[in-house]
Amino acid sequence: MRDHPIVISEPDARVLRGLLSARATRGHDQEHLEELSLELERAQVLKPEQVAADVVTMHKPLRILDLSNGSRQELTLVGPADANVSARRISVLAPLGTALLGYREGDEVEWLMPGGVRRIRIESVQSAHVGAH
């Protein structure tokens, strides 16, 4: 769990609460979903216009740098139904999506992958696409 609460927009909080309640009875990824639920409970939920431009939220394109191999990747966090790896749309419920949510441009993030801990830096966060929510 993070040292400080994440910042999340009200629309993202609503989406996440809905996704978590819909998956509450399923066994798949239960530990990961419980961790996300705890993060959401302690999150600072703000109106979209109050969320700083450099905070990672759903539907905001961002660029990350993998600190272990130097590769860069552009991606956008979306709901599971809109996820498409080839289009670089990552589910907010995927471990990487959950790890990035609420962090800011310049932050370094660690998350556990099947092959071990990975470290990335958020290089840039862009404005959300119009009509994304």
Side-chain angles (χ1 to χ4, degrees):
M1 193 175 312
R2 303 172 195 191
D3 293 336
H4 52 61
I6 63 172
V7 172
I8 189 166
S9 70
E10 288 174 345
D12 286 359
R14 276 194 305 275
V15 167
L16 289 170
R17 286 185 184 113
L19 291 169
L20 288 170
S21 66
R23 287 169 166 70
T25 57
R26 297 184 191 168
H28 182 68
D29 287 335
Q30 210 52 43
E31 182 179 328
H32 168 69
L33 294 178
E34 287 172 17
E35 188 175 313
L36 177 58
S37 181
L38 289 172
E39 289 288 341
L40 190 55
E41 282 178 26
R42 42 185 239 116
Q44 182 179 5
V45 180
L46 302 174
K47 292 183 181 346
E49 62 273 13
Q50 295 175 309
V51 177
D54 65 347
V55 172
V56 176
T57 63
M58 291 176 66
H59 307 288
K60 274 189 180 177
L62 62 141
R63 186 175 62 234
I64 60 173
L65 170 66
D66 187 320
L67 296 172
S68 58
N69 63 22
S71 67
R72 286 184 168 80
Q73 184 179 6
E74 293 187 10
L75 54 91
T76 303
L77 301 185
V78 296
D82 297 322
N84 180 331
V85 174
S86 62
R88 298 186 305 269
R89 292 194 309 259
I90 307 299
S91 170
V92 71
L93 296 186
L96 176 58
T98 300
L100 291 170
L101 186 69
Y103 274 98
R104 298 178 104 95
E105 197 171 285
D107 284 348
E108 291 186 9
V109 181
E110 289 186 0
W111 87 102
L112 185 60
M113 294 287 290
V117 174
R118 298 286 298 269
R119 288 183 49 238
I120 57 171
R121 179 180 303 125
I122 301 168
E123 291 195 321
S124 67
V125 179
Q126 298 156 20
S127 297
H129 294 301
V130 175
H133 292 286

